[in-house]
């Protein structure tokens, strides 16, 4: 079957009486769904007793699905485990850094370094792959479920402690080398053996050495990646050629320590769960934030597309509910995901569970199993737009701009947010300050409707782009700075953010004036800096006549941080203007010509108004044809299989809008020929 654009639904037949199965499947088929994702929490059903596998339930279900020509994506159900496994070895339960041992009966409670859990999971996945790998109707696999979510990227149990010591010894070889690079002379924390090194449990007052914390994040990421890779390798040996392998990542992509590029590199595609509103949020995430996350997921895998393994259908939460989006907006979020590179949508979930932890996670249908308003909108949208969306859904998203992030910097921010403005923690285990800052830097591309990729410092191919935004690049790799310099010299345009170049890859403060390795490239010195917390400072744009006029009539602001700049070869394009700041009048933004290219240095994070005016100049100078179509209007350019360029217009407002001569209804989507 064609994989250009898959429409699917997440279904849990084990939670329903089997008399409902056939009518469920028949309705899915009639509505136009092609595929069902299931089984990702079914370990106790598949292996009710150690080593005794029972596939009868899912065999029966797949028989029915095949009868109605539906295909299947199977999840490996290792995000939970059967209770007999915990009875066998209670030490498989993970210990959170807050010293609480996770309980059986929740999810993601196993330690990914526990040998008994690893072995049982591998045996289970082998049995599943042996049984279902040959089956034609299986078209894909989802590895585990939301690996690392809900704080499960960190464990401090004894299994992890042993693995941590092995990991450190491999990395540093000698304890003397570790002591030197961690700076353990400080506070007398010098070690004499690797097995003395603690796992960083939460402390009452002072923290652990940030070098230890950064390595612990790297170690924890490697743990999760190895966990997933072990399963991929087993399935790969048994999977038929048409079956893809993915996993489902989760919102707030950089809040966890796991390197998701590493995670999906041996899979066939990245996958994630798309919930633009969740829990007790009183409004959805801003549409540019969702675009940021969608583009981030797209950038994780070289295929250039991704799969949404869980797409919002009904209102969602575990203990509290919040904003109810209109059903038209639910359909719009689907189309936004496809516009940004999704080529498979699985709605979560077919029908709301009557019981248990997710009884507040509403599906396409409610527990009463009658048609809902949102169901009608979801199905109508799918049926009406699928013919046009599938002409480009599996094609690469063209982009001449790229936002670049750094995984180690994201890890560091969890421990050292630097400014209250970066310290955003919606839950105790989630620090989303770096995500929020990156989304702010992505916003101008959404505002001006310029397609923009998101790539990491280790995977970005600079030559694909005219313009690179690199915010807050603290942990600075010398080789990458050299690549950037060469690229700018050849004509690239780089927008560099505050605090860049301030640390080495060992997390030492750099031993030269800031911005460290970027000094010549940016043509400035950073003479001082201030954390602005949740406040701001006024700034005055002065690059163009329009900027000068704007600065007279409105107050532009910088937020989060203020680097005070001294140009060496750069031109000043904005100054601080704030009577409460002693550095008022000092340069805030600069632009430096370097070879054939230019480097902007933004010493503070521009507020939305400043962003709007500033990026108008930046995009123009970089030769990118940005076009503002109104607040709430998002336009994404795509190229169809036939090579035709089209524009997907998304109206994120509750008002009818006229855009480029076309009328878009509230929360509507239109695909037009590009003009
Ligand atoms: Zn552990």
């Amino acid at each position: 079957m064609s994989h250009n654009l898959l429409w699917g639904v997440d279904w849990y037949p084990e939670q329903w009486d089997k008399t409902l199965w056939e009518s469920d499947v028949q309705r899915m088929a009639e509505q136009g769904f092609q595929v069902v994702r299931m089984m990702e929490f079914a370990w106790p059903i598949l292996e009710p007793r150690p080593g005794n596998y029972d596939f009868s339930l899912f065999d029966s279900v797949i028989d029915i699905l095949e009868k109605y020509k539906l295909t299947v994506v199977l999840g490996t159900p290792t995000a939970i485990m059967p209770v007999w496994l915990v009875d066998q070895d209670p030490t498989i339960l993970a210990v959170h850094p807050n010293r609480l041992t996770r309980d059986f009966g929740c999810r993601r409670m196993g330690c990914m370094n526990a040998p008994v859990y690893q072995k049982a999971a591998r045996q289970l996945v082998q049995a599943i792959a042996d049984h279902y790998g040959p089956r034609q109707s299986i078209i894909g696999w989802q590895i585990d479920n939301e690996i690392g979510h809900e704080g499960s990227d960190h464990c401090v149990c004894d299994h992890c402690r042993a693995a941590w010591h092995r990991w450190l010894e491999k990395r540093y070889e000698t304890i003397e080398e570790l002591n030197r690079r961690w700076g353990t002379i400080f506070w007398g924390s010098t070690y004499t053996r690797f097995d003395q090194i603690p796992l960083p449990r939460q402390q009452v007052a002072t923290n652990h050495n940030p070098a230890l914390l950064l390595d612990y994040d790297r170690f924890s990421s490697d743990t999760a990646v190895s966990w997933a890779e072990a399963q991929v390798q087993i399935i790969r040996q048994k999977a038929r050629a048409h079956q893809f392998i993915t996993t489902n990542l989760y919102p707030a992509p950089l809040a966890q320590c796991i390197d998701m590029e590493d995670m999906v590199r041996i899979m066939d595609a990245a996958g994630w769960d798309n919930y633009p509103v969740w829990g007790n949020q009183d409004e959805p995430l801003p549409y540019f934030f969702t675009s940021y996350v969608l583009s981030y997921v797209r950038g994780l895998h070289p295929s250039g597309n991704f799969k949404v393994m869980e797409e919002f259908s009904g209102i969602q939460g575990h203990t509290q509910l919040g904003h109810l989006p209109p059903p038209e907006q639910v359909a719009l979020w689907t189309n936004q995901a496809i516009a940004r590179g999704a080529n498979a949508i699985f709605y979560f979930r077919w029908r709301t569970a009557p019981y248990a932890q997710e009884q507040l996670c509403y599906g396409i249908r409610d527990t009463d199993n009658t048609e809902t308003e949102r169901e009608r909108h979801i199905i109508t949208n799918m049926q009406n737009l699928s013919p046009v969306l599938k002409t480009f859904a599996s094609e690469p998203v063209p982009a001449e701009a790229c936002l670049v992030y750094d995984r180690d910097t994201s890890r560091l921010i969890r421990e050292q947010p630097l400014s209250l403005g970066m310290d955003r923690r919606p839950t105790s285990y989630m620090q989303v300050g770096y995500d929020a800052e990156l989304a702010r830097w992505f916003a101008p591309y959404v505002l001006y409707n310029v397609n923009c990729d998101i790539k990491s410092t280790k995977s970005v191919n600079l030559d694909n782009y005219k313009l690179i935004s690199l915010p807050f690049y603290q942990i600075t790799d010398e080789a990458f700075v050299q690549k950037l310099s060469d690229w700018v010299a050849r004509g690239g345009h780089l927008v560099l953010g505050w605090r860049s170049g301030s640390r080495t890859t060992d997390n030492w403060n750099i031993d030269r004036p800031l911005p460290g390795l970027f000094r010549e490239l940016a043509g400035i010195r950073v003479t001082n800096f201030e954390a602005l917390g949740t406040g701001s400072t006024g700034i005055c744009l002065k690059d163009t006549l329009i900027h000068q006029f704007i600065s007279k009539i409105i107050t532009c602001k910088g937020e989060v941080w203020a680097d005070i700049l001294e140009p060496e070869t750069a031109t000043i394009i904005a100054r601080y203007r704030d009577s409460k700041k002693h550095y008022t009048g000092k340069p805030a933004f600069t632009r430096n010509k370097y070879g054939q290219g230019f480097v902007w240095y933004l010493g503070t994070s521009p507020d939305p108004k400043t962003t709007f005016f500033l990026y108008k100049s930046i995009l123009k100078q970089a030769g990118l044809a940005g076009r503002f179509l109104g607040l709430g209007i998002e336009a994404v350019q795509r190229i169809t299989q036939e090579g035709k360029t089209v524009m997907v217009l998304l109206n994120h407002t509750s008002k009818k809008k006229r855009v480029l001569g076309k009328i878009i209804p509230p929360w509507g989507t239109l695909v037009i020929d590009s003009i």
Side-chain angles (χ1 to χ4, degrees):
M1 71 184 292
S2 163
H3 284 191
N4 286 346
L5 177 56
L6 279 177
W7 295 95
V9 64
D10 301 322
W11 186 42
Y12 301 90
E14 70 274 24
Q15 296 172 6
W16 302 97
D17 191 282
K18 61 176 68 170
T19 56
L20 276 173
W21 290 353
E22 182 147 358
S23 59
D24 280 352
V25 174
Q26 185 177 4
R27 194 170 304 113
M28 292 171 196
E30 285 167 1
Q31 290 174 333
F33 287 111
Q34 301 155 290
V35 55
V36 164
R37 181 196 73 154
M38 59 186 188
M39 212 174 81
E40 75 269 17
F41 289 105
W43 189 342
I45 296 166
L46 298 170
E47 192 180 4
R49 289 173 302 286
N52 279 356
Y53 298 105
D54 179 358
F55 297 103
S56 58
L57 188 150
F58 287 98
D59 285 350
S60 303
V61 168
I62 293 172
D63 287 344
I64 298 172
L65 289 163
E66 288 177 351
K67 178 179 165 189
Y68 288 90
K69 308 269 188 289
L70 267 84
T71 57
V72 182
V73 171
L74 292 177
T76 62
T78 51
I80 49 96
M81 73 278 285
V83 71
W84 55 255
L85 193 63
V86 183
D87 281 346
Q88 267 184 13
D89 181 3
T91 72
I92 66 174
L93 294 173
V95 182
H96 190 265
N98 66 10
R99 300 160 196 251
L100 284 176
T101 302
R102 292 175 186 265
D103 280 339
F104 176 81
C106 302
R107 64 176 178 178
R108 301 232 61 83
M109 65 283 198
C111 167
M112 291 182 277
N113 276 315
V116 166
Y117 183 33
Q118 287 175 336
K119 185 177 173 197
R122 281 198 294 267
Q123 286 174 340
L124 171 74
V125 173
Q126 185 69 60
I128 293 171
D130 289 344
H131 189 79
Y132 288 120
R135 199 150 176 169
Q136 180 70 22
S137 61
I138 310 299
I139 61 160
W141 301 85
Q142 174 190 297
I143 302 297
D144 205 287
N145 189 78
E146 298 184 337
I147 300 172
H149 194 27
E150 296 167 343
S152 63
D153 54 337
H154 282 160
C155 176
V156 294
C157 77
D158 287 343
H159 301 300
C160 286
R161 187 180 170 88
W164 164 237
H165 294 154
R166 290 194 296 273
W167 187 92
L168 287 170
E169 191 158 4
K170 189 173 172 200
R171 181 175 178 83
Y172 292 101
E173 295 185 356
T174 67
I175 197 70
E176 292 77 18
E177 178 68 359
L178 178 143
N179 281 321
R180 185 185 69 78
R181 288 168 62 185
W182 281 13
T184 58
I185 194 73
F186 190 81
W187 281 355
S189 54
T190 303
Y191 303 100
T192 55
R193 298 188 317 272
F194 284 101
D195 65 6
Q196 296 164 333
I197 301 170
L199 281 163
R201 297 182 299 180
Q202 284 178 8
Q203 299 300 302
V204 176
T206 55
N207 294 327
H208 281 281
N209 183 335
L212 179 152
L213 294 170
L214 181 58
D215 269 344
Y216 174 62
D217 275 352
R218 291 165 172 159
F219 157 76
S220 300
S221 178
D222 288 353
T223 294
V225 169
S226 299
W227 173 261
E229 279 186 357
Q231 297 193 16
V232 173
Q233 282 162 2
I234 292 167
I235 290 173
R236 190 69 82 190
Q237 288 179 354
K238 296 289 179 177
R240 297 181 62 161
H242 70 282
Q243 296 171 355
F244 64 80
I245 301 177
T246 186
T247 188
N248 60 334
L249 307 171
Y250 31 83
L254 295 162
Q256 263 67 20
C257 70
I258 297 171
D259 187 325
M260 294 177 179
E261 273 188 331
D262 284 354
M263 176 77 77
V264 301
R265 72 185 164 201
I266 64 165
M267 300 181 188
D268 301 301
W272 89 299
D273 297 344
N274 189 23
Y275 293 103
V277 64
W278 205 89
N280 60 8
Q281 286 176 249
D282 26 345
E283 55 184 314
L285 294 167
Y287 70 96
F288 72 84
F289 190 94
T290 301
S291 289
Y292 151 72
V293 186
L294 293 165
S295 304
Y296 161 84
V297 179
R298 185 181 80 232
L300 290 175
H301 195 275
S303 65
N305 296 114
F306 62 95
K307 302 185 190 305
V308 180
M309 304 311 289
E310 295 182 13
E311 175 74 32
F312 183 102
S313 61
I315 192 168
Q316 297 280 317
H318 278 176
T319 60
Q320 295 179 66
L321 297 175
H323 175 83
L324 174 70
E328 294 86 349
Q329 195 175 20
V330 173
L332 174 69
W333 288 335
T334 303
N335 303 335
Q336 182 190 27
I338 295 167
R340 293 284 174 184
N343 62 6
I345 299 284
F346 292 79
Y347 284 102
F348 185 83
R349 48 183 279 163
W350 174 248
R351 187 168 46 237
T352 313
Y355 44 66
Q357 285 96 324
E358 293 196 341
Q359 63 188 154
L360 293 178
C361 293
Y362 285 82
I364 293 175
R365 290 202 156 199
D366 294 329
T367 320
D368 62 14
N369 202 26
T370 55
E371 189 185 50
T372 60
E373 187 189 10
R374 58 185 181 274
E375 180 179 1
R376 283 195 295 279
H377 280 273
I378 285 169
I379 304 306
T380 302
N381 179 70
M382 178 170 82
Q383 291 173 348
N384 289 349
L385 283 187
S386 190
V388 65
L389 296 176
K390 72 181 183 189
T391 63
F392 58 78
S394 282
E395 299 299 307
V397 180
E400 293 182 303
C402 188
L403 176 74
V404 177
Y405 66 92
D406 178 60
R407 185 42 92 171
D408 273 346
T409 296
S410 77
R411 292 165 175 156
L412 183 62
I413 281 305
R414 291 161 61 110
E415 315 299 342
Q416 280 185 350
L418 287 180
S419 166
L420 261 182
M422 286 288 277
D423 196 9
R424 297 185 169 98
R425 295 172 195 264
T427 67
S428 58
Y429 55 82
M430 192 181 270
Q431 217 297 41
V432 298
Y434 190 54
D435 275 316
E437 187 65 13
L438 285 168
R440 177 206 289 267
W441 283 65
F442 190 72
Y445 297 103
V446 182
L447 205 59
Y448 283 106
N449 299 301
V450 170
N451 282 13
C452 181
D453 284 343
I454 299 182
K455 292 282 185 183
S456 74
T457 47
K458 72 179 184 187
S459 70
V460 61
N461 180 352
L462 300 173
D463 289 327
N464 288 344
Y465 306 106
K466 290 180 177 174
L467 178 60
I468 300 276
S469 290
L470 180 59
F472 192 59
Y473 178 44
Q474 275 208 113
I475 304 277
T476 316
D477 177 63
E478 201 164 343
F480 184 61
V481 176
Q482 188 58 52
K483 271 197 227 171
L484 276 171
S485 302
D486 296 344
W487 171 79
V488 174
R490 292 195 297 272
H493 292 248
L494 172 67
V495 190
L496 197 56
W498 50 270
R499 202 66 183 164
S500 291
S502 57
R503 299 278 174 91
T504 69
T505 49
D506 279 331
N507 194 30
W508 289 33
N509 288 330
I510 197 148
D511 59 352
R512 61 182 81 188
L514 298 179
L517 300 169
F518 288 109
R519 183 175 176 182
E520 188 189 345
L521 190 59
I524 53 158
R525 269 192 66 188
V526 177
T527 58
N528 219 332
F529 43 80
E530 179 182 36
L532 297 172
T534 53
S536 64
T537 176
I539 48 178
C540 169
L541 297 174
K542 59 187 298 295
D543 187 28
T544 65
L545 285 173
I546 292 173
H547 282 183
Q548 289 164 25
F549 174 71
I550 293 298
S551 290
K552 281 186 182 148
I553 57 171
I554 63 167
T555 304
C556 291
K557 286 183 179 168
E559 296 173 335
V560 188
W561 189 265
D563 272 347
I564 300 156
L565 312 182
E566 181 180 283
E568 294 182 324
T569 57
T571 307
I572 299 165
I573 60 171
R575 292 182 185 274
Y576 293 106
R577 184 174 64 184
D578 195 319
S579 59
K580 293 189 184 131
K581 302 291 184 189
H582 66 86
Y583 48 84
T584 186
K586 299 276 190 189
F589 301 159
T590 56
R591 182 180 58 237
N592 190 44
K593 184 156 186 359
Y594 185 88
Q596 301 300 308
F598 286 91
V599 178
W600 283 261
Y601 189 95
L602 307 189
T604 180
S605 287
D607 74 343
K609 276 183 292 191
T610 314
T611 297
F612 183 81
F613 296 113
L614 180 68
Y615 275 84
K616 195 165 178 61
S617 307
I618 292 174
L619 292 169
K620 188 175 173 195
Q621 189 149 10
L624 294 174
R627 184 158 44 179
F628 177 63
L629 298 172
L631 270 181
I633 300 297
E634 180 179 8
V636 186
Q637 286 216 335
R638 297 297 302 266
I639 299 170
T640 67
Q641 288 164 304
E642 287 75 38
K644 191 170 98 176
T645 304
V646 296
M647 187 180 282
V648 187
L649 294 172
L650 305 154
N651 178 4
H652 292 279
T653 77
S654 57
K655 304 268 185 334
K656 185 170 73 177
K657 295 279 181 179
R658 176 180 282 275
V659 181
L660 300 172
K662 312 277 183 188
I663 300 291
I664 319 179
W667 316 115
T669 303
L670 214 55
V671 182
I672 62 170
D673 290 350
S674 197
I675 51 176

Short mmCIF file of all heavy atoms in Angstrom, two decimals, residues 111 155 157 160, ligand 1:
data_model
loop_
_atom_site.label_atom_id
_atom_site.label_comp_id
_atom_site.label_asym_id
_atom_site.label_seq_id
_atom_site.Cartn_x
_atom_site.Cartn_y
_atom_site.Cartn_z
N CYS A 111 13.93 0.22 35.44
CA CYS A 111 15.26 0.79 35.20
C CYS A 111 15.85 0.18 33.93
O CYS A 111 15.99 -1.06 33.85
CB CYS A 111 16.17 0.50 36.39
SG CYS A 111 17.90 0.84 35.98
N CYS A 155 17.64 7.69 36.46
CA CYS A 155 17.47 6.68 37.52
C CYS A 155 18.76 6.66 38.33
O CYS A 155 19.85 6.84 37.78
CB CYS A 155 17.21 5.31 36.90
SG CYS A 155 17.10 3.98 38.11
N CYS A 157 19.43 4.04 40.72
CA CYS A 157 19.46 2.77 41.45
C CYS A 157 20.86 2.16 41.39
O CYS A 157 21.76 2.68 40.74
CB CYS A 157 18.42 1.82 40.85
SG CYS A 157 18.96 1.06 39.29
N CYS A 160 22.14 1.30 37.92
CA CYS A 160 22.64 2.48 37.21
C CYS A 160 24.00 2.91 37.76
O CYS A 160 24.87 3.36 37.02
CB CYS A 160 21.63 3.63 37.31
SG CYS A 160 20.20 3.35 36.25
ZN1 LIG B 1 18.51 2.42 37.44
#
